[in-house]
Amino acid sequence: MIDSQNKKISTKAEQINESVIREMTRVALQYGAVNLAQGFPDFSCPRELKRAACEAIEEDINQYAITWGDRAFRHAIAEKVNWYLGLAVDPERQITVTCGSTEAMVATMLATVNPGDEIIVFEPYYENYGPDAIIASAKPRYVKLHPPDWTFDETELRQAFNNNTKAIIINTPHNPTGKVFSDEELTLIAELCQQWDVLAFTDEIYEHILYDETKHVAIATLPGMEERTVTINGLSKTYSVTGWRVGYILANPQLTSAIRKIHDFLTVGAPAPLQRAGVAAMQLPVSYYQDLAASYREKRDTLLQTLDELEISYYVPKGAYYVLANIARFGYKSDLEFTYHLIKDIGVAVVPGSSFFSRSEQGHSFIRFCFSKKTETLLAARDRLLKLYK
Ligand code: GLN
């Protein structure tokens, strides 16, 4: 009985486990823990977006949008990426709107990768890239980011490129470390991509969440890279609407037409009224982004202060909204055991570090805190975390 059941499950599905990040949210709800695990805000999105979404529904934008994205939204995206990234994209031939950047990455891989192709992934990495590679039959090749600055070793990176390399995944600002890739690092990556004829898949979902004068550089803007870069982004993090599931992909027309076909048969399209509301997001003034970064800096500092009080060591994030902390000194067998202790006994949910590594033992001394929360939530977490020493 068990055997015949197993035969019904594909080897791909068998290789994939439930997302630990999403599991932690589920377990947090079960135990009433303050959720500093999954990366989503517990505060409101901008009023302009709420209003635009309600208006779109009232105006009967309730049927399918064009499969690759609402025209008005695509044009608004093109204008916005032009001013922010300095990238000129043709909204008719170079943009695909997807169900979040999660679908964007899978659709990109499915549109470009053949079985056995290798994809270079910097480690630690956002959990999804592992299952994405399995779904696309790609072979991940990991290149370590080394603490404390999470830099990569040039020789290690060079050695990862070979004739089977199809693409490299870049995620800047980086989840979970908060690293922001420098111009020099991206320039080296760009050179190697051109030397080996490799694509760059760049997940820039945290592009506006930057601290300490750090600048965001889009690899697509480096010489020779526009043609071979797939830039992935979305509304979720910048506009605090993770549940809307609206993402987008910028790529050259040839890659875009392949990606659009995959996207069409995967999902047909992202929610039409929410895409139209995305026009309002793209038209927010520059001050919106300045306020966003300033408010995240305060949140970051609130959490870091708590960690200082608790004498938990951490890596100061330069971007994104996570802190990777070191828990080695608590003496737990694994990060998972410590995480469950935090959730059940202390009442704070975090993500165990092993979810960001290919071999779980590499992450055993880390946990990730998310600080995309109201100050009161971060302070409630603090009160609970102080129990760690009682
Ligand atoms: N990026 C978020 C995180 O790392 C979660 C994204 C998701 O769950 N889809 O927590």
Side-chain angles (χ1 to χ4, degrees), residues 19 21-22 25 36-40 101-102 126-128 175-176 203 205-206 236-237 242 245 321-322 351 356 368 370:
S19 151
I21 296 177
R22 266 86 75 195
T25 288
L36 304 188
Q38 194 179 8
F40 63 88
S101 57
T102 295
Y126 171 47
E127 185 188 44
N128 276 35
N175 176 8
D203 175 348
I205 193 88
Y206 302 100
S236 297
K237 314 289 186 182
T242 61
R245 313 311 301 132
Y321 51 49
Y322 308 101
V351 177
F356 307 104
R368 187 195 76 174
C370 165

Side-chain angles (χ1 to χ4, degrees), residues 8-9 29 37 66 68-69 92 104 118 148 156 165 174 194 301 308 324 335:
K8 295 191 173 65
I9 306 300
L29 284 169
I66 296 172
W68 52 77
E92 295 306 330
E118 293 186 8
E156 284 172 16
T165 312
H174 185 253
Q194 290 170 74
D301 294 347
D308 285 339
L324 207 53
D335 54 323

Side-chain angles (χ1 to χ4, degrees), residues 71-85:
R71 186 171 183 279
F73 183 42
R74 278 183 287 113
H75 281 255
I77 293 169
E79 274 183 39
K80 194 259 171 179
V81 302
N82 198 338
W83 79 251
Y84 185 59
L85 301 178

Side-chain angles (χ1 to χ4, degrees), residues 199-387:
L199 297 168
F201 302 156
T202 172
D203 175 348
E204 299 180 9
I205 193 88
Y206 302 100
E207 65 181 347
H208 287 285
I209 303 175
L210 299 163
Y211 313 107
D212 310 333
E213 312 294 316
T214 311
K215 293 265 175 300
H216 173 70
V217 179
I219 194 166
T221 60
L222 299 187
M225 287 308 286
E226 198 172 339
E227 281 307 298
R228 59 179 66 252
T229 300
V230 178
T231 303
I232 290 171
N233 216 317
L235 301 185
S236 297
K237 314 289 186 182
T238 303
Y239 308 99
S240 306
V241 286
T242 61
W244 282 20
R245 313 311 301 132
V246 178
Y248 59 85
I249 304 172
L250 317 175
N252 76 37
Q254 190 199 7
L255 287 171
T256 297
S257 76
I259 291 167
R260 283 177 173 183
K261 286 188 283 183
I262 299 287
H263 157 73
D264 186 13
F265 289 104
L266 275 179
T267 64
V268 179
L274 303 181
Q275 292 192 51
R276 183 59 60 86
V279 174
M282 296 296 135
Q283 292 174 345
L284 286 170
V286 178
S287 60
Y288 171 77
Y289 302 96
Q290 291 160 345
D291 294 347
L292 181 83
S295 119
Y296 270 116
R297 194 184 52 234
E298 270 180 39
K299 294 178 192 303
R300 177 191 71 162
D301 294 347
T302 302
L303 179 60
L304 296 187
Q305 211 177 330
T306 299
L307 297 179
D308 285 339
E309 263 182 89
L310 294 164
E311 296 179 8
I312 294 179
S313 66
Y314 54 79
Y315 303 97
V316 180
K318 296 287 183 194
Y321 51 49
Y322 308 101
V323 179
L324 207 53
N326 198 308
I327 50 157
R329 76 175 177 82
F330 288 93
Y332 277 76
K333 228 178 32 235
S334 76
D335 54 323
L336 203 61
E337 205 175 278
F338 185 70
T339 301
Y340 270 94
H341 166 59
L342 279 187
I343 298 179
K344 289 185 182 171
D345 308 325
I346 306 292
V348 176
V350 297
V351 177
S354 50
S355 359
F356 307 104
F357 290 87
S358 53
R359 285 182 293 111
S360 60
E361 64 276 14
Q362 298 177 94
H364 278 178
S365 53
F366 300 116
I367 54 170
R368 187 195 76 174
F369 291 88
C370 165
F371 55 85
S372 176
K373 306 292 166 194
K374 295 178 196 149
T375 304
E376 68 202 64
T377 309
L378 295 171
L379 294 178
R382 171 188 175 272
D383 288 346
R384 292 176 177 210
L385 286 166
L386 290 177
K387 285 192 293 191

